[in-house]
Amino acid sequence: MYVKAILAVLLGSQAVNGQLAKLAREAGLEYFGTCIGEGNTNDQTYMNILRNLDEFDQVVPENGQKWDSLQPQQGNFNWGQGDIVANIARQNNQLLRCHTLTWHSQLPGWVRDGNWNRQTLTAVIETHIATVLRHYQGQCYHWDVVNEAADDNGNWRNSVFYRVLGTDFLPISFFAARQADPSTKLYYNDYNLEYNNAKTDITVEMVKIIQRAGAPIDGVGFQGHLIVGSTPSRQALANTLRRFTALGVEVAYTEVDIRHASLPPNQQALVTQGNDYANVVGSCLDVDGCIGFTVWGFTDKYSWIPHTFPGEGDAMLYDSNFGKKPAWTSVSSVLAAAATGGPSPPPTSPPPTNPPPTNPPPTNPPPSGGNCSGMWGQCGGQGWNGPTCCSQGTCQQQNPWYSQCL
Ligand code: 9MR
């Protein structure tokens, strides 16, 4: 927090007109990024948004660097898909998070179903990691070395790696990665760590196992695949992140999306989604050692969620027409508040439902200076009955139901 606060003071005066990555850096994070679906890269509207360095200064390939893509048959390495996003990152001067090496999923049949013993599977892991890291040498800011090694009940996942090697596949993978490319930060990455439950516990244990083996681990990635209305509070999330920074590793949110459990979302659900996003970003800002934030795609037009959870979705910051959603405004507001060292903005008040309700008072009225809102306060929007002027900053419309003093 100290470093983040200093950065915020130094940079704060330029913060207010920035976009997500610009604001994130000004707030003391290292980056704000997104994954890129390799198949979406001929969509020019999509590309124009993600190439904007002020919006996204870090990218990660959604699928191209997974084992089945890079080494579909033993010894046959294929770089075509993996290089798509690596090349975009280089051309745009964006940081590249690389994803992922030892993972039970998107693992080709020759690995998953092979008749391995300790020695042969160790060699397979070491060869894959050495070949891949050398190909991307110097390009990856982070590598997700091991992905999703725990199951949702907090047990070791029943993968070929665990069956043959027990937990030794963890240090084997991290040692191999450090040896192949000492310049990249090495991460363990998983989902549902955010709930601070048995899965979180075994992941803490996992970091300790890697460290006790003398193997290098630099960070733990919280994927952040969350659900609107069920996202933990900012404080609870921060406390969970601190369980890992206490072990001497950094943390990052690596794949955030917050999906609606039913579609289409009503306006209240869009506001709740914005507040959930704000809590997740805010928790990272609150924790020394939480270094960056990555969303798993930025537009509802392209998302893995409806394929995996039919009937759910609309989890992103931009809608399917590339319009910014209330969640985008929430995230930018939280980052802007941190960038200028100001208080976090209050939760966005609900937009009107149709027909409009009888104007319930906002639960958290924004701070006001006399009859005007202070910096970051709400100053307009459909259904808004509060102040429409600013005692600090100027009132800027973010969307039809939310204007803010910036
Ligand atoms: O977004 C990815 C989707 O296109 C793939 O079909 C899916 C297959 O496993 O993987 C998705 O990405 C996952 C990521 O690599 C690891 N964490 C969970 C992500 C969502 O499933």
Side-chain angles (χ1 to χ4, degrees):
M1 200 59 206
Y2 179 71
V3 174
K4 288 174 185 168
I6 297 283
L7 267 173
V9 170
L10 289 173
L11 298 166
S13 59
Q14 304 152 20
V16 290
N17 294 321
Q19 306 290 294
L20 301 176
K22 185 167 183 282
L23 290 169
R25 288 196 304 272
E26 290 166 354
L29 299 183
E30 294 184 8
Y31 58 79
F32 194 106
T34 179
C35 85
I36 300 180
E38 289 80 5
N40 311 336
T41 52
N42 53 5
D43 180 330
Q44 286 315 312
T45 311
Y46 176 87
M47 291 304 290
N48 286 341
I49 293 173
L50 75 79
R51 272 196 291 249
N52 176 1
L53 263 184
D54 282 347
E55 186 74 337
F56 298 116
D57 56 0
Q58 175 267 311
V59 293
V60 52
E62 185 168 5
N63 286 301
Q65 289 180 325
K66 294 170 179 175
W67 197 316
D68 62 356
S69 171
L70 294 183
Q71 195 189 178
Q73 290 94 31
Q74 187 164 18
N76 180 4
F77 285 86
N78 180 347
W79 307 111
Q81 288 295 303
D83 287 356
I84 292 173
V85 175
N87 291 340
I88 291 170
R90 190 174 334 101
Q91 283 154 12
N92 294 340
N93 218 6
Q94 290 162 312
L95 291 172
L96 180 67
R97 288 197 88 256
C98 290
H99 173 82
T100 184
L101 297 164
T102 306
W103 186 31
H104 70 281
S105 181
Q106 290 174 280
L107 184 66
W110 70 266
V111 184
R112 192 186 56 235
D113 305 327
N115 185 20
W116 309 113
N117 62 32
R118 227 186 136 68
Q119 200 183 0
T120 53
L121 188 58
T122 300
V124 161
I125 294 171
E126 289 178 343
T127 301
H128 184 77
I129 291 180
T131 309
V132 172
L133 265 68
R134 286 187 189 129
H135 178 80
Y136 292 105
Q137 188 100 39
Q139 296 181 59
C140 300
Y141 188 51
H142 295 169
W143 258 110
D144 288 330
V145 177
V146 177
N147 204 41
E148 302 172 6
D151 72 16
D152 283 342
N153 299 319
N155 300 312
W156 298 107
R157 189 182 289 282
N158 180 12
S159 69
V160 63
F161 304 113
Y162 182 71
R163 282 195 302 277
V164 175
L165 294 164
T167 59
D168 288 352
F169 78 89
L170 300 163
I172 288 169
S173 299
F174 280 89
F175 274 128
R178 178 54 46 88
Q179 194 178 0
D181 182 359
S183 71
T184 181
K185 282 191 175 166
L186 308 179
Y187 268 65
Y188 175 75
N189 189 50
D190 213 333
Y191 63 90
N192 284 358
L193 303 182
E194 297 80 14
Y195 301 104
N196 206 10
N197 57 19
K199 184 165 185 178
T200 318
D201 294 343
I202 198 176
T203 306
V204 167
E205 183 55 26
M206 199 178 314
V207 173
K208 291 180 179 169
I209 287 171
I210 295 164
Q211 291 175 330
R212 277 199 298 265
I217 176 168
D218 300 303
V220 172
F222 279 53
Q223 292 182 8
H225 295 295
L226 299 165
I227 301 169
V228 172
S230 306
T231 300
S233 70
R234 175 170 174 160
Q235 193 179 13
L237 288 164
N239 287 339
T240 307
L241 295 172
R242 287 191 192 99
R243 292 187 66 187
F244 292 90
T245 57
L247 302 176
V249 294
E250 62 185 36
V251 290
Y253 284 104
T254 54
E255 305 183 11
V256 178
D257 45 35
I258 309 183
R259 65 183 181 270
H260 296 279
S262 63
L263 295 174
N266 62 25
Q267 289 173 320
Q268 176 61 57
L270 290 174
V271 171
T272 304
Q273 183 182 46
N275 293 335
D276 286 347
Y277 262 101
N279 284 335
V280 183
V281 174
S283 71
C284 189
L285 295 169
D286 290 346
V287 172
D288 273 340
C290 186
I291 58 90
F293 197 92
T294 306
V295 287
W296 203 241
F298 62 91
T299 164
D300 290 334
K301 187 172 181 181
Y302 304 116
S303 168
W304 66 285
I305 290 171
H307 307 288
T308 305
F309 302 103
E312 303 187 32
D314 283 7
M316 306 309 191
L317 298 176
Y318 287 70
D319 66 25
S320 50
N321 295 314
F322 297 103
K324 291 172 181 170
K325 291 159 64 175
W328 187 96
T329 305
S330 297
V331 170
S332 65
S333 302
V334 168
L335 292 170
T340 53
S344 286
T348 45
S349 60
T353 51
N354 201 5
T358 50
N359 296 325
T363 44
N364 271 315
S368 60
N371 288 329
C372 294
S373 292
M375 189 66 99
W376 316 120
Q378 185 162 2
C379 52
Q382 289 171 28
W384 172 248
N385 289 320
T388 53
C389 57
C390 296
S391 60
Q392 284 178 286
T394 53
C395 189
Q396 296 181 25
Q397 185 181 30
Q398 305 294 325
N399 56 45
W401 51 82
Y402 188 67
S403 299
Q404 191 180 26
C405 298
L406 294 170

